[in-house]
Structure formats: C-alpha cells, structure tokens
Amino acid sequence: MPYQYILFEADQGVATITLNRPEVLNSFNMPMAAELQGALRAAADDQTIRAVLITGAGRAFCAGQDLAEAAPADGSPAPPIADIVRRTYNPTVRAIRAIEKPVVCAVNGVAAGAGANLALACDVVIAADNASFVQAFSKIGLIPDTGGTFFLPRLVGLARATALAFFGDRLSAADAQAMGMIYRVVEAARLDDESRALARRLATQPTRGFGLTKRAFNQSLANDLDAQLEVEAELQAEAAGTSDFAEGVRAFLEKRQPTFAGR
Ligand code: T3D
C-alpha cells in the first residue's frame, strides 16, 4: 500500500514505520495518523512480521499535533478537537496496545505533546542521547492526551507526571531513562543500529508468548491481584499450547539454542 506521510518497510521479520513529515518535525495531521493506523493493522495481519519499529525521519521524532491543522491560518474552520483526539490519537494508542507483537519505539529527536505520549504507549522505548521529551500541552492550554494521563503516572509516579505536565519542560533522554519513563538511551549515531538489533532480536523470539505477555500487562493496568493471578493462569495455558513452548523446553533439555517459529 502506498503511503504519503509515513515510510513502511518490512525486513527480517520487522516492520519499520517511519513518521515522515520532517519539515514540521513529523507532527500529526489526520492523514498521517490514518496511515500509521493502517500500517499497524498491516503489521498485525502479516504473520511474517514478528516485531514493529516506530521512528521519525529527520531531526525530530514527532512534535505532536500539527498545530496548523488544528488552527488553520486561512481562517477555515478547524475540526473539533474531540474529533481530532478520537480519530487521530485514540485509535493509534489502542492499535499499539492491541497488536500482539512487540512494538519498539526509537526516539531519534524531540518527542513533544502527542509525539511524547505515542512513544510511551510502545512496549520498548530506546532514545538517542540527544533526544528529549516534552509534555508540551500545557504551553498551549491543553491537557496531556494520546494516553499520557494513563501511561505517564504509571511510568514515573503521580508527582513527577504532574510536574512534567504542568511545567512542560524539556526532559533529556538520560533523565527520562533515570525516572523509568523509557528503557534505554544510546549514542545518537548508534540509535538506528541498536533499535534495529533490538527489534530483530525480538522478531526471532516466541511471538505468541510476547503477545500474551502484552495482553497480561494491558489487563494488569486495571486488575486487582486476584484477577491478575487468574489472567496469568489462563494466558499461561494458552502460552503452553504454542509450538514455541514445546521447542523452548526441548532445546533446554537438549542443551541447544531454541529456534522459535513465533507460533
Ligand atoms: O487538535 C489538537 O490540538 C488536540 C491534540 C493535541 C495533541 C498535541 O500533541 S498538543 C501539542 C502540540 N505540539 C506542540 O505544542 C509542540 C510544538 N512544537 C514545539 O514546541 C517545538 O517545535 C519543539 C519543542 C517540538 C521543537 O523545537 P525546535 O526549536 O527544535 O523546532 P522549531 O523551530 O520550533 O520547529 C521547526 C519547524 O517545525 C518550525 O517550522 P518552520 O519555522 O521551520 O517553518 C515549526 O513551526 C514546525 N513545527 C514544530 N512543531 C510543530 C510544527 N508545525 C506544526 N505543528 C507542530 N506541532
């Protein structure tokens, strides 16, 4: 499928999706969001894809909502903001959480507003050492969206989430890692190689097990302990029915590396 605002490439079991509006720091207009959602659907449906990598073209990861779309300079009416949020961001976050394959986010530069929170919705976030995160919403009188009010306090605690949201200051990648917001920081020149290596490694592992792990984590965000223990029992039964489980145990007993088929 041809895309105008993103790049999509499938290689070695990894679908790489690159937000590609570098002249506006890859900020979101509705068509780019629709393309991203379409690419996530394509990656979910393709059995040969076993991991997804999301990154940005140029010097930024994503500057959030394209403010020119939200407030057109020619005075033409802007789409209602609730529609933008419901059509642009909510389905994107739901798609990232629902795809039962690992989603790696390589933050290659500034991630602001919805761009910052898009990254936080992903499973594994790796950032360049010159990247930064900005809860830019307060600067324009908005509240954090794109799942920010959900993920941010869970990742960094309510005190830090509130301060990040209120002040809207730029947070370095190193500070984001130190407060548990992201997984890892690497030298900017190494980001491409390191993020691809992570995604390729994940693509050779037990994909169904990862999908079920993700489903369990998703449910844990709303469950109490008893309910979550039951989720684990049910999903473990499903994981134990996969050929990857049989292969993993066989390989252990035969003292060799397993070859996981992702089924
Ligand atoms: O509809 C709704 O609004 C609801 C949805 C809300 C979700 C949200 O994401 S709200 C938050 C929207 N995002 C922002 O408020 C961030 C705005 N951008 C910035 O604060 C800064 O650009 C950055 C901190 C991200 C980066 O700063 P810097 O100095 O590195 O770059 P710059 O010079 O500001 O930007 C470079 C160009 O990108 C510039 O265009 P020009 O002058 O070269 O023609 C700038 O206008 C453009 N740009 C940056 N961000 C956006 C943008 N254009 C449109 N929308 C943007 N969000």
Side-chain angles (χ1 to χ4, degrees):
M1 168 180 174
Y3 295 107
Q4 191 179 350
Y5 299 110
I6 63 167
L7 305 174
F8 184 89
E9 172 206 309
D11 182 45
Q12 298 183 42
V14 177
T16 302
I17 302 170
T18 306
L19 308 178
N20 192 28
R21 305 182 72 220
E23 66 287 355
V24 283
L25 308 189
N26 304 318
S27 57
F28 269 100
N29 58 10
M30 285 207 221
M32 186 173 88
E35 290 187 5
L36 174 57
Q37 290 156 23
L40 288 165
R41 267 194 306 276
D45 292 347
D46 184 339
Q47 294 305 308
T48 68
I49 299 298
R50 293 172 60 189
V52 177
L53 176 61
I54 301 178
T55 191
R59 73 176 174 91
F61 172 65
C62 173
Q65 171 64 35
D66 182 333
L67 295 174
E69 179 187 71
D74 64 4
S76 58
I81 281 201
D83 282 1
I84 296 182
V85 173
R86 289 198 183 101
R87 286 166 52 190
T88 303
Y89 303 110
N90 294 0
T92 306
V93 171
R94 288 191 184 108
I96 289 170
R97 295 315 311 160
I99 182 170
E100 293 208 332
K101 301 175 184 184
V103 180
V104 176
C105 184
V107 181
N108 54 299
V110 64
N117 293 339
L118 172 76
L120 302 188
C122 296
D123 299 309
V124 176
V125 185
I126 178 170
D129 56 6
N130 60 358
S132 55
F133 296 81
V134 198
Q135 293 293 322
F137 308 90
S138 61
K139 305 278 187 203
I140 54 171
L142 294 183
I143 69 156
D145 59 18
T146 317
T149 60
F150 185 85
F151 291 112
L152 200 57
R154 285 169 171 79
L155 289 166
V156 303
L158 187 58
R160 284 168 159 165
T162 304
L164 290 168
F166 283 3
F167 293 120
D169 291 334
R170 266 201 206 213
L171 187 71
S172 69
D175 284 345
Q177 183 187 15
M179 62 173 73
M181 188 193 285
I182 63 171
Y183 173 56
R184 190 190 286 178
V185 181
V186 296
E187 262 178 58
R190 303 269 323 135
L191 181 70
D192 196 44
D193 285 351
E194 298 269 349
S195 58
R196 273 177 205 284
L198 277 184
R200 282 179 184 154
R201 180 174 153 203
L202 290 168
T204 64
Q205 299 301 306
T207 311
R208 289 292 307 126
F210 286 164
L212 295 168
T213 303
K214 190 164 168 176
R215 203 191 300 172
F217 281 144
N218 283 342
Q219 295 186 18
S220 81
L221 297 167
N223 276 345
D224 63 20
L225 177 61
D226 274 345
Q228 193 59 22
L229 289 173
E230 189 46 35
V231 166
E232 288 177 5
E234 281 172 19
L235 297 187
Q236 198 67 295
E238 210 171 320
T242 63
S243 64
D244 283 341
F245 172 61
E247 165 62 5
V249 174
R250 218 168 27 239
F252 177 80
L253 296 175
E254 293 169 4
K255 300 191 185 308
R256 62 172 173 80
Q257 288 301 310
T259 304
F260 292 118
R263 290 189 292 272

